[in-house]
Amino acid sequence: MRLLSTRPFKVTAAMMLTAVLGGCSSYHYKNYQGDWAPEQMTPYDLSNNAPDAPVVYFATVRYRDLGIPFHRLLLATHVDDQLLEGAGRASILDVSGKQALKLTPGKHSLRWCWTSMNALGTGGAQCNLEARDVEFKAGKRYIVDFQNSTRIVGAPGRESMRIHIKSTIRDLDSDEVVYPVFGSGQELIPRT
């Protein structure tokens, strides 16, 4: 009986790893915009063509960690407690929403998902992040942005990762934070 050499398998694995790590630098989740460029985003129009309708953008960023390309983004799912067309979370790896909204001037409540996916096909999301009764002024542009931090908790051998997401809404022109009033943030616990 002849034993098969493992060398061809090692070469193939090395080539695949190189393709994943090197060839996916432009990785983005689904068809969502990967890099922050508001002029390239087409807002989902809920303004009924109101003149000087405010526009709200949701942050998106791509980066590498340990050579693996990641895409983290916020996706709007609800406005004034109404589910947006095609938005929602079908599964841990299947999240949909809007990256920009055109609203009528005035107070609105927004809900969105924080999504983190990578070129290896893994990731996750946390939905139902929200801002209630935020004043969006005519002719203004806003961004819903986020900062995330990770910490490991638990006894050795039983550790789990906790992700803390802090979202803010800023006026894009003045950089004034319009939401939250200090100290708000939501701790997200990914499902394992």
Side-chain angles (χ1 to χ4, degrees):
M1 177 159 88
R2 184 173 173 230
L3 293 176
L4 293 175
S5 169
T6 59
R7 189 174 189 313
F9 297 112
K10 289 179 183 178
V11 171
T12 302
M15 288 173 38
M16 287 176 58
L17 184 59
T18 300
V20 167
L21 297 179
C24 297
S25 61
S26 64
Y27 171 77
H28 60 277
Y29 179 61
K30 293 186 177 181
N31 63 345
Y32 295 112
Q33 185 170 316
D35 298 314
W36 173 244
E39 67 280 357
Q40 294 176 8
M41 291 181 170
T42 303
Y44 184 72
D45 193 352
L46 296 169
S47 73
N48 295 322
N49 297 315
D52 291 332
V55 178
V56 181
Y57 298 98
F58 289 79
T60 183
V61 64
R62 292 187 299 177
Y63 67 96
R64 286 177 168 274
D65 191 8
L66 300 173
I68 300 168
F70 280 82
H71 185 191
R72 284 193 173 158
L73 66 159
L74 300 178
L75 295 171
T77 58
H78 295 76
V79 173
D80 300 327
D81 298 319
Q82 297 298 309
L83 181 65
L84 299 174
E85 179 185 348
R89 180 176 177 176
S91 71
I92 195 161
L93 296 175
D94 186 5
V95 181
S96 298
K98 310 299 181 191
Q99 284 189 285
L101 302 170
K102 198 180 225 184
L103 303 172
T104 55
K107 286 189 176 181
H108 294 283
S109 296
L110 305 176
R111 214 176 322 160
W112 60 91
C113 293
W114 173 86
T115 306
S116 178
M117 301 295 174
N118 65 56
L120 299 177
T122 61
Q126 178 65 40
C127 294
N128 296 320
L129 302 169
E130 68 178 354
R132 308 287 308 167
D133 300 320
V134 179
E135 180 77 29
F136 295 103
K137 297 179 181 175
K140 293 286 197 170
R141 298 179 315 144
Y142 300 88
I143 179 171
V144 181
D145 207 349
F146 68 93
Q147 293 179 330
N148 60 279
S149 58
T150 306
R151 65 186 167 110
I152 306 298
V153 296
R158 300 182 59 113
E159 300 97 342
S160 64
M161 181 174 63
R162 303 242 175 165
I163 300 173
H164 181 80
I165 303 297
K166 181 180 179 189
S167 294
T168 57
I169 302 176
R170 290 183 286 114
D171 180 310
L172 264 177
D173 300 312
S174 70
D175 214 33
E176 173 192 1
V177 174
V178 298
Y179 182 89
V181 180
F182 280 99
S184 170
Q186 297 185 0
E187 186 168 285
L188 310 179
I189 304 169
R191 297 173 190 223
T192 54

